[in-house]
């Protein structure tokens, strides 16, 4: 791409693990220069999180650190703090996930023209401000875990660190908004995004339902509280998902399964009625769906304009046609060539390019120190 939207923006990245590094990777993909500040010898914790490893390089680290540079600095030393000070003075964006007490101890000061974004576990104006933030705790505390899983089973975390991912995207969006505002005012901004708040806000209609009804939402497993049928069903060979979210979709579904009269049944004629009588409708549909292969139903439903999809494994999804469109090849100086999931964004009809592999620990230290005017 001839012009990446964040080209010319310098990001000083003091974050580690997932939410912060994913946020800065989103900025890096869009063209920003991201300098990842890491602890000497140890570096980001995710460098050691495995298996799996690719020739000694953690798959976890590879997932969220492309298009970045790495400088190894001991922020507890006077020289390290001087490096951080000079880097922040030049930065357009500063991202960290320090606890408030850590940030104060390390002497991280604001550059008034920079956008400073702190990613935390809980908001700074609450009693939990100094509580370390972990995805598992955010999923538990926010209510997300309570609404995930089988109705009669244990609360269940989502299969990926979703609170971290949601926080990263909220933070990246807020940073871009602040950079846009700076174009008008010339001033930077102080931004804070917590895992707890980002997850609660992402409960959207479920949180709104709880506020309106005053009741604790229940778990619906693979069904939906307010739409029927909108859930997982089983073909004769494997599961698939049907999202008949409108009365028109349900009418078409009745024709596909050879039961067009269902759309005229007062119990099923409207979505509200179907929600009320789901215990009658769902077993009926499931029995019919089990008579044919899932792929047969997918093809029939799609032919009738009904939203439907096979339940695929991760590897299966990556090997599908839309999955393959996301795969990029990256050449790492230690791990060698490997495939990765690239940016999902089509910007001007093209995906953001991968400009560099995730960095080796401290690989750019000497170069960056020279840029900062530090020679010893």
């Amino acid at each position: 791409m001839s012009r990446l939207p964040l080209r010319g923006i310098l990001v000083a990245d003091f974050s580690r693990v997932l939410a912060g590094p994913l946020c800065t990777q989103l900025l890096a993909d869009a063209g920003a220069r991201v300098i990842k500040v890491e602890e000497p010898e140890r570096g980001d914790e995710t460098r050691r999180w495995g298996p799996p490893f690719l020739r000694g390089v953690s798959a976890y680290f590879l997932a969220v650190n492309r298009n970045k540079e790495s400088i190894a600095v001991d922020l507890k030393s006077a020289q390290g703090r001087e490096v951080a000070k000079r880097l922040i003075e030049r930065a357009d964006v500063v991202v960290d996930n320090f606890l408030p007490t850590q940030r104060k101890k390390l002497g991280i000061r604001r550059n008034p023209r920079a956008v400073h974004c702190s990613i935390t576990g809980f908001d700074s104006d609450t009693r939990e401000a100094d509580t370390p933030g972990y995805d598992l705790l955010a999923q538990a505390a926010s209510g997300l875990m309570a609404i995930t899983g089988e109705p009669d089973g244990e609360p269940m975390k989502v299969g990926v660190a979703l609170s971290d991912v949601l926080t990263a995207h909220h933070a990246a969006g807020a940073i871009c908004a602040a950079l846009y505002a700076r174009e008008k005012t010339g001033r930077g901004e102080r931004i804070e995004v917590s895992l707890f708040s980002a997850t609660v806000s992402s409960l959207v209609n479920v949180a709104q339902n709880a506020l309106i009804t005053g009741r604790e939402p229940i778990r619906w497993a693979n069904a939906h509280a307010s739409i029927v049928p909108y859930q997982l069903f089983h073909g004769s060979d494997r599961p698939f998902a049907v999202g008949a979210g409108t009365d028109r979709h349900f009418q078409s579904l009745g024709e596909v399964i050879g039961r067009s009269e269902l759309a005229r049944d007062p119990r099923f004629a409207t979505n509200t009625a179907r929600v009320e009588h789901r215990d009658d409708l769902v077993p009926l549909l499931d029995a019919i769906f089990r008579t044919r292969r899932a792929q047969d139903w997918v093809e029939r439903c799609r032919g009738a304009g009904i939203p439907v999809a096979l339940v695929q494994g991760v590897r299966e999804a990556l090997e599908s046609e839309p999955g393959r469109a996301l795969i990029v090849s990256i050449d790492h100086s230690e791990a060698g060539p490997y495939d990765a999931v690239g940016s999902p964004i089509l910007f001007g009809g093209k995906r953001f390019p991968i400009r560099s592999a995730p960095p080796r620990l401290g690989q750019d230290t000497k170069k960056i120190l020279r840029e900062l005017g530090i020679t010893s």
Side-chain angles (χ1 to χ4, degrees):
M1 298 177 69
S2 60
R3 180 63 182 171
L4 292 169
L6 293 183
R7 182 172 291 171
I9 294 297
L10 174 61
V11 179
D13 182 9
F14 294 88
S15 71
R16 59 211 185 279
V17 185
L18 180 50
L22 178 55
C23 167
T24 57
Q25 179 171 277
L26 294 171
L27 302 177
D29 283 353
R33 181 189 181 191
V34 175
I35 296 177
K36 184 177 179 69
V37 182
E38 300 187 74
E39 182 181 354
E41 297 182 7
R42 293 178 57 82
D44 190 318
E45 289 90 332
T46 60
R47 289 184 180 275
R48 300 178 297 281
W49 283 7
F53 294 94
L54 181 62
R55 300 178 187 89
V57 182
S58 143
Y60 203 120
F61 184 82
L62 291 176
V64 291
N65 287 288
R66 63 175 176 250
N67 292 334
K68 300 179 186 179
E69 301 168 41
S70 172
I71 179 172
V73 176
D74 181 6
L75 295 177
K76 296 177 182 177
S77 70
Q79 184 183 39
R81 288 192 293 271
E82 179 62 22
V83 172
K85 175 176 175 288
R86 295 194 190 190
L87 182 58
I88 291 171
E89 286 173 350
R90 296 191 180 199
D92 299 286
V93 177
V94 180
V95 178
D96 75 75
N97 57 1
F98 297 126
L99 291 172
T101 52
Q102 290 176 320
R103 192 177 303 110
K104 184 177 181 181
K105 186 176 181 180
L106 293 172
I108 302 295
R109 293 183 176 86
R110 277 200 64 194
N111 167 359
R113 196 173 180 279
V115 176
H116 286 246
C117 179
S118 294
I119 293 176
T120 60
F122 298 88
D123 292 337
S124 62
D125 57 355
T126 68
R127 289 182 298 177
E128 290 84 4
D130 276 314
T131 301
Y134 294 92
D135 177 87
L136 177 66
L137 305 186
Q139 291 200 38
S142 66
L144 177 59
M145 191 181 293
I147 62 171
T148 305
E150 294 294 334
D152 298 326
E154 288 289 313
M156 190 70 62
K157 74 178 183 67
V158 180
V160 70
L162 190 60
S163 290
D164 277 329
V165 172
L166 292 168
T167 304
H169 284 268
H170 278 288
I175 288 168
C176 289
L179 287 172
Y180 178 74
R182 189 182 71 169
E183 291 298 305
K184 300 179 179 180
T185 66
R187 298 190 304 274
E189 190 55 79
R190 183 82 175 86
I191 296 172
E192 179 181 307
V193 187
S194 76
L195 272 68
F196 175 83
S197 294
T199 309
V200 169
S201 70
S202 299
L203 298 181
V204 288
N205 61 297
V206 177
Q208 189 66 66
N209 293 349
L211 290 171
I212 288 176
T213 65
R215 296 194 298 269
E216 195 67 56
I218 65 173
R219 292 190 290 278
W220 287 95
N222 291 312
H224 196 288
S226 305
I227 308 173
V228 175
Y230 193 92
Q231 65 182 79
L232 180 144
F233 289 99
H234 289 83
S236 61
D237 57 341
R238 61 187 296 180
F240 65 105
V242 175
T246 68
D247 294 339
R248 178 178 58 80
H249 285 146
F250 184 70
Q251 182 178 359
S252 298
L253 182 63
E255 295 170 357
V256 165
I257 65 175
R259 297 292 302 273
S260 57
E261 76 279 4
L262 292 177
R264 299 189 295 274
D265 188 319
R267 297 174 298 167
F268 313 136
T270 66
N271 180 68
T272 301
R274 291 192 295 276
V275 169
E276 183 178 353
H277 297 284
R278 73 168 73 223
D279 290 343
D280 297 327
L281 177 61
V282 170
L284 186 157
L285 294 177
D286 194 55
I288 294 172
F289 286 140
R290 288 178 183 271
T291 64
R292 291 181 178 272
R293 294 172 61 251
Q295 185 62 43
D296 292 342
W297 289 120
V298 168
E299 292 172 1
R300 288 166 177 252
C301 287
R302 285 182 175 170
I306 301 165
V308 63
L310 290 174
V311 176
Q312 299 185 130
V314 174
R315 181 70 181 269
E316 189 177 11
L318 292 171
E319 292 175 347
S320 68
E321 183 181 0
R324 290 196 304 272
L326 285 168
I327 304 302
V328 296
S329 181
I330 302 176
D331 193 5
H332 191 278
S333 60
E334 292 178 323
Y338 67 96
D339 286 341
V341 177
S343 173
I345 297 170
L346 288 171
F347 199 91
K350 296 181 180 179
R351 299 190 191 279
F352 290 140
I354 308 302
R355 305 188 306 282
S356 63
R360 289 176 286 105
L361 175 59
Q363 72 173 30
D364 305 290
T365 300
K366 291 182 179 179
K367 177 188 71 172
I368 294 169
L369 290 179
R370 285 196 301 269
E371 292 178 8
L372 297 176
I374 299 174
T375 56
S376 59

